[in-house]
């Protein structure tokens, strides 16, 4: 009996050790490339041209960032990215919550039809060209609002919020109704504050989507003053790739300066998400706990 | 009818919340679905949707003999099935490994790190890949120092390796994120199952095989269905960043082909026809996958 337990202990310990080693390798595989990008972005052009470093750069310099920040386009793009993300997230969450609240009421006329219409949009879409023609005929080409209006609604998010609203106890709503409150009042004053955790989760995903989106720009925007960071970075990447291919065996100087600019832009483009992610993560985890205690 | 109007009037507050959503869906979802009819027309820039002449299945006939389209189909299927074969299993294994960790702090650390790449856009990751694979970049330096290669080379310009770059970079980006759902399901498994198994002397691997995996069966099937139905429609962002004149033959996927034909060359009807064909095949895939997995799940349909 004792021998058996000891053997199991040993097996289990081998399993744990192997598990930890493998997961440690996984984290290294993720962290090292990211770390390499960051220190490369702080490297001088000379160090980038020679290469040969992985963890630490032989020559640090801020020249890449200076070059990027001296370009007025980056400030414009940063402004566009921030405004389209904040306006987009707030309007999207509010719009979806409004529809989700309405559909969470079971006794509503036409509810079955509404839900059926929504479910169909989850599986069928017109695709790229018909949508482009629609956006064009609505006059949204080269307009800031093309970032906001077509992104207002997502039936997935409506369903999530609908289910969340359904879990709010009926008694809250009934007592408010007795006090003479209308549906809009109940939605704005009771349901929205109670649903912060669910809305924060949707806001996080939608915000990341908005920040990272570049297809909208590529499809509908030709006006450079409306380019967000992602599109600027895309242009830099495409340019440097064609350049480096033309320069095979040629000038290494051009390649490394564009490479430095590219790296610095990558870091600047990603930084806001990396900074905001842990804050929101903590918020929505604690928010879910609160929701659970209230029930 | 009268009753109908009275109901609506009584419910005006709630209806005023729903109707904007319905109007949105009609404009932004249903009008484009109707717009698919241009796949059966010959649409030119001077036409409107209704004035363009009908051409029947002419566009689809051209597709059949379009070499570039079939190249794109082969690439899409190749990349997608590799992603499915490898990329679908890795998150499951990873989730089980994280679940089996005892140390709370290391667990948290692994999770946070593994979610991170998901938050990078394909543009950012594409830029990183181009840097890593450049002749002076990380990848070549590693191989050189390990003695695997003697001359640095840019493998992004090597068409023969493009599929693997596409597949592995996608797994690197999304595998950690894919564990979230599985971890959430596993945290709901009753711990007494494991205690009972331990008393019976089941090894850790046996516990995983006989308790953890069966408990995840339905969520794995659901995930599989959704992945399979999206097989043909993915990879657009990734392709647009990573494709260059050297690897185009192996990199072009259906979506980037639709983009090129429609947006760059202005052949709207043809591009729509390609897109429509792909959607139809995707729906067929969805239904088939649902049938197969429901057979595996004792005839309980997941969808």
């Amino acid at each position: 009996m004792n021998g058996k337990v000891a053997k199991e202990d040993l097996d289990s310990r081998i399993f744990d050790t192997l598990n930890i080693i493998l997961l440690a390798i996984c984290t290294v595989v993720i962290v090292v490339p990211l770390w390499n990008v960051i220190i490369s972005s702080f490297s001088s052009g000379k160090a980038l041209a020679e290469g040969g470093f992985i963890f630490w750069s032989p020559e640090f310099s801020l020249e890449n960032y200076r070059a990027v920040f001296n370009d007025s386009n980056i400030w414009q793009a940063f402004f566009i990215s921030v405004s389209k993300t904040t306006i987009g997230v707030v309007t999207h969450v509010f719009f979806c919550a409004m529809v989700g609240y309405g559909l969470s009421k079971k006794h509503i006329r036409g509810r079955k039809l509404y839900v059926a219409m929504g479910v169909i949009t989850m599986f069928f879409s017109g695709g790229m060209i018909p949508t482009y023609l629609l956006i064009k005929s609505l006059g949204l080409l080269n307009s800031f609002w093309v970032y906001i209006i077509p992104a207002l609604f997502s039936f997935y998010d409506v369903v999530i919020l609908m289910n969340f609203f359904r879990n709010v106890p009926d008694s809250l709503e009934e007592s408010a109704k007795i006090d003479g409150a209308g549906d809009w009042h109940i939605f704005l004053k009771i349901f929205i504050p109670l649903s912060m955790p669910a809305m924060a989760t949707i806001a996080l995903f939608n915000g990341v989507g908005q920040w990272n989106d570049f297809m909208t720009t590529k499809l509908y925007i030709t006006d450079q003053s409306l380019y967000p960071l992602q599109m600027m970075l895309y242009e830099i990447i495409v340019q440097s790739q064609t350049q480096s291919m033309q320069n095979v065996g040629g000038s290494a100087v051009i390649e490394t300066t564009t490479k430095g600019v590219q790296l610095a832009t990558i870091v600047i483009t990603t930084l806001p998400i990396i900074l905001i992610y842990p804050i929101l993560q903590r918020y929505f985890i604690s928010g879910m706990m609160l929701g659970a205690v209230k029930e | 009818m009268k009753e109908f109007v009275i109901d609506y009037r009584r419910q005006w507050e709630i209806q005023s919340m729903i109707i904007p959503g319905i109007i949105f869906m009609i404009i932004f979802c249903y009008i484009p679905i109707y717009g698919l009819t241009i796949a059966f027309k010959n649409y030119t820039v001077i036409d409107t949707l209704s004035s363009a002449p009908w051409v029947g299945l002419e566009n689809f006939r051209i597709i059949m003999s379009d070499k570039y389209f079939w190249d794109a189909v082969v690439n899409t299927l190749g990349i997608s099935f590799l992603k499915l074969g490898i990329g679908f299993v890795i998150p499951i294994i990873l989730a089980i490994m994280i679940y089996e960790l005892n140390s709370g702090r290391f667990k948290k650390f692994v999770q946070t790190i593994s979610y991170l790449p998901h938050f990078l856009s394909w543009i950012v990751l594409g830029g990183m890949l181009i840097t890593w694979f450049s002749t002076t970049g990380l990848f070549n330096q590693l191989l050189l120092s390990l003695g695997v290669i003697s001359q640095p080379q840019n493998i992004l310009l090597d068409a023969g390796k493009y599929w693997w770059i596409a597949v592995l970079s996608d797994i690197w980006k999304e595998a950690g994120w894919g564990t979230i759902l599985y971890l959430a399901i596993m945290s709901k498994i009753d711990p007494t199952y494991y205690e009972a198994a331990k008393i019976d002397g089941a090894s850790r691997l046996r516990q995983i095989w006989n308790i953890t995996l069966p408990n995840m069966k339905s969520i794995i099937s659901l995930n599989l269905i959704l992945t399979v139905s999206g097989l043909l429609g993915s990879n657009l962002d990734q392709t647009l960043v990573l494709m260059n004149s050297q690897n185009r033959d192996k990199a072009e996927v259906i979506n980037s082909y639709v983009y090129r034909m429609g947006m760059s060359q202005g052949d709207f009807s043809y591009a729509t026809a390609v897109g429509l064909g792909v959607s139809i095949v995707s729906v067929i895939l969805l239904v088939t996958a649902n049938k197969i997995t429901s057979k595996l799940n004792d005839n309980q349909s997941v969808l």
Side-chain angles (χ1 to χ4, degrees), chain A residues 34-70:
Chain A
L34 293 176
W35 174 250
N36 185 261
V37 166
I38 295 170
I39 57 151
S40 301
S41 76
F42 285 104
S43 300
S44 67
K46 187 167 148 271
L48 283 175
E50 281 162 8
F53 57 90
I54 294 170
F55 300 105
W56 201 247
S57 167
E59 201 175 294
F60 282 98
S61 140
L62 290 173
E63 63 184 276
N64 300 325
Y65 287 90
R66 210 167 288 138
V68 175
F69 284 126
N70 274 337

Side-chain angles (χ1 to χ4, degrees), chain B residues 41 77 88 160-161 173 193 216-217:
Chain B
K41 293 187 167 191
L77 289 177
F88 189 77
K161 299 199 172 79
K173 186 175 185 300
Y193 288 153
M216 297 185 354
K217 211 161 100 181

Side-chain angles (χ1 to χ4, degrees), chain A residues 98-99 101-105 107-109 114 173 177 182-184 187, chain B residues 8 10-20:
Chain A
M98 183 177 78
V99 181
Y101 176 76
L103 291 177
S104 71
K105 304 282 167 246
H107 59 276
I108 284 307
R109 269 272 172 190
Y114 299 153
E173 191 182 340
K177 278 224 161 115
D183 288 311
W184 270 104
F187 168 61
Chain B
Y8 263 91
R10 201 160 42 81
Q11 298 172 344
W12 72 267
E13 276 201 272
I14 290 279
Q15 295 287 354
S16 74
M17 295 174 175
I18 303 174
I19 301 296

